[in-house]
Amino acid sequence: MRNRTILCFLFIGIFLHTTRADEGMWLPQLLSVLNESRMKSLGMKISAKDIYNTNTGSLKDAVVSFGGFCTGAVISSNGLVLTNHHCGFDAIQNHSTLDKNYIRDGFWAQTRADEIPNPGLFVTFIVRIDDVSREALRGLSPSMTESERQGLIDKNLAELTKNVKKESGQESFTRGFFEGNQYYLFVTETYRDVRLVGAPPSQIGNFGKDTDNWVWPRHTGDFSLFRIYASRDNKPAEYAPDNVPYTPKKSFDISMDGVEPGDFTFVFGFPGRTMQYLHSEAVRQILEVSDPAKIGIRERALKILDGFMREDEQVKIQYAAKYAGIQNSYKKWQGEVLGLNRAGAVGKKQKYEALFQQRVDADAGFRQRYGSLLNELSKGYESYEPYGLASDYYLEIISKIEMFTIASQLNSLVTAFEKGGENGYRQRLPVVKSNLENILGEFSGKVDRRMFEELMDMYVQQPGGYVSPLLKERLKAAGGNYINLSLTLYGQTSLFDMDQLNSLFARSAGETVEAIRRFEAVQLFVDLQKTYQSLVQSPSAEIQNRINRLQRDYMQAQLEVMKEKKFYPDANRTLRVTFGQVQGYSARNAVQYHYYTDLDGVMEKYKPGDYEFDVPEKLRALHAAKDFGPYGSEGVMPVCFIATNHTTGGNSGSPALDARGNLIGLNFDRAWEGTMSDIHYDASICRNIMVDIRYVLFIIDKYAGAGHLIREMKLVHPKKGPKKKKSKAGL
Ligand code: ARG
Ligand code: GLU
């Protein structure tokens, strides 16, 4: 018996150790308490205070949320911001036409006056992060329903936000952490005049496209440059021609010295969403049900888009960003399934749950509060399964058919009118107009019609049969033929023409609303939505609430029961630090990956004329002449490298920093075998992919001839500096 216990503990020790490694997306204000010593033991040479400090400028002041979906790094005292090419892509695309094609040819502003404004684009700085859990959770009682609980929290937070100390031009928001067990307040500063400064051609910025996406070894120069503009007193301001370049509190110094295996690195950014603390049953459903369904739907959508894009250059420009977006998750989910399977993630979760249960059972207090938790959670997820699948079908399909996006915009006017009368309608109208302009600016009727015809078929065939009655009726009237049905729907051409829509909006609110109600596409959309609400959302709301409550309790319970484990909250688009080391990995049996790639590798992949692997002539010439300027060393021009930093979507454009906080790279992806790290991180195979900052500088300077931008930056030699000479062998 004793032996068994010892063995068991040994096993537990190993298990906890391997799962912990250096996973984690940590809150910057808690680094000094939770992580500093570990970071230093891995090689960090600065202190947690250099990273996050609200009294003086610290590294956090050089990190921005880029547009709310990516991250950016401030790299000059004139507000120059570095982010990924794929993060800036929408802006690049918006300014591209058939004859000024910045997607194809790149763009470089020669002077400040050439920098292009981007209405709607913004960057957000984090001024301060406060723990407001006590205030947020004040007055809660265990007997409250989920909606009562949320109501009170919202009220508490609204009260709190009213009295937040902040300067003019600053804003704030609050967010729940650890499934709503803790709350933090973020004081922010958002700049809304962000101009495009430079972007390489896609053959560099998106080299390898979809084939290489999510894959190592990688050879992509995935970066673009923007500049923040501010009012004359350096405050946030709407776009104005006489705004001036923003002077940041802090900007990153750029290391010219590159990386070696074992080097400490950390990544500072805004990771979007992870699910590290799910019950094993939820992980099983992602793996076996949800991911496969979503992959199947996107596969069909991508095939349609690809066909049209290959044959029509105009469609190719219009749909490039949409295609990349759909493809991106489509491919990631496949990697996720592979990784979860290979890592035996469900089994590992079950073992962890068994240990948790054992500890709970061994303690009367825990047993009383948490004894039945896991069992109930598992039952909750089981009963949610069909609804989850139906949601996947509905959301995946409806969002791919832009006729429904348009219908939904128009229908929001009807709702606004019904709720708020003429006034409500007038308030909503400008938003709808601008959204419709955006949608229709990149819309092709023939493409969307085909999407409708094929994806609606998938919707009708969905396993649970949660299908709109109106759709069935219309389909029947069309002889069961989707092409006939789409002919009618897309035949109402005024729905897809901004001029005609504008003349519709010129009529009185009442008349416009009447006309909107008569569009068949709107009627169909309303019925699809209603069906989804009544057959899927309402009946599952109670289960969903139960799961939320149980996951929250389970999170709290883990914090209490698994005392030896350090917990970090799931990603939720707030500022985080993740750290690790530069390191190759063993991908599978007999396959060992090196930690960096270089320009020779670009040339190895080069396929003249190919859609994904063509290389611009000038880059080939620079390579042939080994003309790398000060950016390459010993005839090698580094391109990308990998490390063990735990990142996710939203971390794109995040600065990758060295032991002293100098910029060494820009995060843009993860390696295929480890994309399951959103659910289950495994240090042996999870790697983030960064473009080497020296490649970025090389492209700006030697390829684009934009040396004036380099002169804005501060380049440093932390390793090769006069005093510090480190021998290679020593690492
Ligand atoms: N996989 C990266 C991310 O999740 C890069 C996506 C952009 N590149 C592409 N080929 N779609 O955003
Ligand atoms: N490319 C991702 C992004 O846009 C980052 C890669 C990841 O998911 O880790 O944020």
Side-chain angles (χ1 to χ4, degrees):
M1 182 65 200
R2 276 254 312 272
N3 277 345
R4 277 234 321 259
T5 319
I6 291 169
L7 258 180
C8 183
F9 271 113
L10 264 177
F11 166 75
I12 290 160
I14 293 164
F15 171 64
L16 289 176
H17 182 76
T18 48
T19 50
R20 195 162 54 192
D22 279 302
E23 78 175 87
M25 301 170 174
W26 304 93
L27 283 157
Q29 78 277 21
L30 299 180
L31 290 177
S32 55
V33 184
L34 290 176
N35 314 100
E36 188 174 41
S37 63
R38 173 67 181 157
M39 291 170 92
K40 285 192 165 159
S41 79
L42 287 173
M44 186 171 76
K45 298 275 190 291
I46 54 176
S47 70
K49 267 216 148 56
D50 298 317
I51 299 175
Y52 178 90
N53 189 339
T54 50
N55 300 320
T56 75
S58 54
L59 294 176
K60 75 132 171 61
D61 297 308
V63 185
V64 291
S65 160
F66 186 85
F69 53 88
C70 276
T71 305
V74 180
I75 53 166
S76 93
S77 51
N78 295 310
L80 201 57
V81 169
L82 182 62
T83 189
N84 290 143
H85 185 267
H86 77 266
C87 298
F89 191 69
D90 217 38
I92 301 166
Q93 173 183 22
N94 284 340
H95 304 302
S96 293
T97 59
L98 281 177
D99 38 76
K100 266 194 324 181
N101 191 338
Y102 301 146
I103 301 179
R104 190 188 59 207
D105 307 327
F107 168 79
W108 301 95
Q110 291 309 318
T111 67
R112 298 266 158 92
D114 299 328
E115 300 177 354
I116 318 176
N118 299 285
L121 185 59
F122 60 85
V123 298
T124 299
F125 290 91
I126 302 300
V127 178
R128 187 177 90 229
I129 309 172
D130 295 338
D131 185 349
V132 294
S133 307
R134 215 165 28 97
E135 294 89 330
L137 304 176
R138 182 171 294 148
L140 295 189
S141 78
S143 63
M144 286 178 159
T145 66
E146 276 302 286
S147 74
E148 285 165 354
R149 181 182 192 274
Q150 200 49 53
L152 183 57
I153 291 176
D154 290 346
K155 206 175 126 228
N156 288 343
L157 290 174
E159 195 60 35
L160 178 94
T161 341
K162 264 194 281 176
N163 306 316
V164 172
K165 256 212 339 240
K166 50 183 200 280
E167 291 171 23
S168 80
Q170 296 183 339
E171 292 159 272
S172 72
F173 68 88
T174 51
R175 190 89 27 108
F177 289 75
F178 288 120
E179 323 273 346
N181 285 296
Q182 296 176 17
Y183 280 81
Y184 285 93
L185 170 93
F186 297 78
V187 176
T188 60
E189 220 157 37
T190 295
Y191 287 81
R192 296 174 192 282
D193 185 351
V194 180
R195 304 186 196 172
L196 178 63
V197 174
S202 285
Q203 285 172 4
I204 293 172
N206 193 11
F207 180 71
K209 299 225 166 51
D210 301 328
T211 300
D212 269 12
N213 192 17
W214 298 112
V215 172
W216 182 255
R218 191 65 153 275
H219 298 84
T220 312
D222 195 344
F223 79 94
S224 58
L225 285 166
F226 288 78
R227 192 187 304 283
I228 308 168
Y229 280 76
S231 67
R232 296 204 164 261
D233 53 358
N234 211 34
K235 292 272 184 231
E238 291 299 321
Y239 167 77
D242 56 350
N243 281 348
V244 295
Y246 168 68
T247 308
K249 287 200 210 89
K250 184 89 189 168
S251 61
F252 288 111
D253 294 347
I254 297 174
S255 166
M256 289 287 280
D257 291 350
V259 295
E260 286 164 71
D263 279 3
F264 173 79
T265 83
F266 65 109
V267 169
F268 214 154
F270 290 84
R273 181 161 180 251
T274 59
M275 297 159 277
Q276 312 288 349
Y277 306 106
L278 286 180
H279 187 277
S280 56
E281 171 58 17
V283 177
R284 185 198 64 78
Q285 284 178 23
I286 293 175
L287 179 64
E288 292 177 5
V289 184
S290 172
D291 276 358
K294 295 189 292 189
I295 291 166
I297 294 165
R298 289 197 177 205
E299 186 153 298
R300 192 116 164 221
L302 287 167
K303 222 180 243 153
I304 300 166
L305 294 182
D306 183 62
F308 282 104
M309 286 169 74
R310 275 175 198 277
E311 113 204 332
D312 186 333
E313 192 67 23
Q314 176 73 28
V315 171
K316 191 168 143 187
I317 295 182
Q318 283 176 326
Y319 280 74
K322 284 181 255 187
Y323 185 90
I326 298 173
Q327 196 275 350
N328 195 37
S329 306
Y330 162 73
K331 192 165 178 184
K332 187 189 90 168
W333 291 325
Q334 296 178 52
E336 189 169 270
V337 167
L338 178 110
L340 289 172
N341 271 327
R342 210 191 266 165
V346 174
K348 283 187 182 148
K349 285 258 174 212
Q350 284 166 346
K351 275 193 191 132
Y352 175 77
E353 286 156 9
L355 171 63
F356 170 86
Q357 189 69 48
Q358 204 182 356
R359 290 190 187 175
V360 166
D361 290 343
D363 178 295
F366 285 155
R367 196 166 57 234
Q368 200 217 340
R369 272 180 299 153
Y370 304 132
S372 62
L373 201 55
L374 288 176
N375 198 5
E376 284 176 54
L377 248 182
S378 148
K379 278 200 229 131
Y381 278 117
E382 273 162 32
S383 44
Y384 188 72
E385 181 173 336
Y387 299 112
L389 183 60
S391 283
D392 287 334
Y393 264 85
Y394 177 77
L395 298 172
E396 276 294 317
I397 290 175
I398 299 302
S399 63
K400 306 288 168 302
I401 300 168
E402 289 183 287
M403 177 179 71
F404 291 134
T405 320
I406 296 165
S408 138
Q409 285 299 318
L410 291 173
N411 190 54
S412 75
L413 284 173
V414 177
T415 319
F417 186 72
E418 284 166 354
K419 277 203 189 134
E422 174 95 29
N423 237 349
Y425 171 91
R426 292 277 157 226
Q427 249 175 23
R428 177 79 197 148
L429 188 59
V431 184
V432 169
K433 269 190 186 171
S434 122
N435 288 345
L436 287 171
E437 263 158 29
N438 279 339
I439 300 163
L440 290 170
E442 291 170 5
F443 177 82
S444 156
K446 63 179 178 189
V447 178
D448 201 56
R449 242 189 87 182
R450 181 75 63 75
M451 289 284 252
F452 172 86
E453 290 157 8
E454 298 212 14
L455 295 189
M456 273 295 116
D457 183 38
M458 291 191 101
Y459 169 82
V460 169
Q461 307 291 336
Q462 66 173 290
Y466 304 97
V467 178
S468 142
L470 184 64
L471 177 72
K472 282 196 229 168
E473 191 184 296
R474 288 286 149 84
L475 191 59
K476 202 164 155 214
N481 184 324
Y482 289 94
I483 300 182
N484 287 343
L485 177 60
S486 76
L487 216 51
T488 326
L489 288 162
Y490 287 80
Q492 294 193 303
T493 51
S494 56
L495 191 65
F496 308 104
D497 182 313
M498 201 60 224
D499 291 336
Q500 292 193 52
L501 286 172
N502 274 329
S503 48
L504 176 67
F505 297 143
R507 309 224 294 258
S508 78
E511 275 179 303
T512 310
V513 163
E514 264 324 296
I516 290 175
R517 286 198 181 112
R518 281 196 300 273
F519 278 118
E520 293 212 28
V522 174
Q523 291 168 5
L524 188 55
F525 169 73
V526 169
D527 199 66
L528 284 160
Q529 200 182 31
K530 209 175 78 192
T531 309
Y532 175 61
Q533 271 159 4
S534 62
L535 298 186
V536 181
Q537 278 188 314
S538 316
S540 64
E542 183 274 321
I543 308 175
Q544 187 67 65
N545 280 339
R546 182 151 38 98
I547 290 176
N548 290 349
R549 178 174 54 77
L550 290 165
Q551 276 287 163
R552 187 173 64 240
D553 291 348
Y554 180 38
M555 188 71 248
Q556 181 59 38
Q558 290 178 73
L559 293 170
E560 293 171 26
V561 174
M562 311 307 268
K563 273 275 182 249
E564 73 286 19
K565 201 172 139 115
K566 259 191 224 165
F567 287 90
Y568 59 95
D570 267 321
N572 59 358
R573 293 216 173 278
T574 57
L575 186 59
R576 303 294 179 92
V577 169
T578 163
F579 56 91
Q581 284 172 310
V582 174
Q583 218 171 75
Y585 69 107
S586 165
R588 52 188 179 278
N589 189 221
V591 178
Q592 183 67 34
Y593 281 128
H594 196 52
Y595 72 100
Y596 83 93
T597 59
D598 62 48
L599 201 55
D600 289 347
V602 174
M603 297 313 297
E604 276 174 15
K605 285 180 177 173
Y606 169 46
K607 277 193 223 154
D610 186 73
Y611 166 72
E612 301 185 298
F613 292 101
D614 206 349
V615 175
E617 197 199 315
K618 178 139 185 219
L619 187 58
R620 282 183 274 134
L622 288 166
H623 173 260
K626 291 198 181 297
D627 185 2
F628 306 145
Y631 311 110
S633 70
E634 291 159 33
V636 176
M637 185 61 245
V639 173
C640 293
F641 66 100
I642 50 176
T644 60
N645 301 300
H646 187 187
T647 51
T648 188
N651 268 126
S652 275
S654 295
L657 306 159
D658 71 3
R660 293 180 175 76
N662 302 305
L663 192 63
I664 48 176
L666 196 61
N667 184 73
F668 71 98
D669 210 359
R670 272 175 290 165
W672 181 245
E673 292 78 8
T675 51
M676 85 291 196
S677 65
D678 292 347
I679 295 164
H680 174 76
Y681 178 90
D682 179 342
S684 67
I685 50 167
C686 290
R687 293 292 176 276
N688 69 311
I689 305 179
M690 295 149 281
V691 52
D692 192 304
I693 201 66
R694 294 168 299 171
Y695 189 55
V696 171
L697 300 175
F698 161 76
I699 296 294
I700 296 174
D701 191 356
K702 302 296 289 185
Y703 177 84
H708 60 285
L709 295 173
I710 305 281
R711 285 189 286 281
E712 277 188 44
M713 307 171 194
K714 187 171 162 209
L715 309 185
V716 296
H717 285 279
K719 284 188 182 174
K720 296 182 191 137
K723 280 179 288 176
K724 281 230 159 268
K725 195 143 177 95
K726 227 195 250 172
S727 79
K728 259 203 167 151
L731 283 167

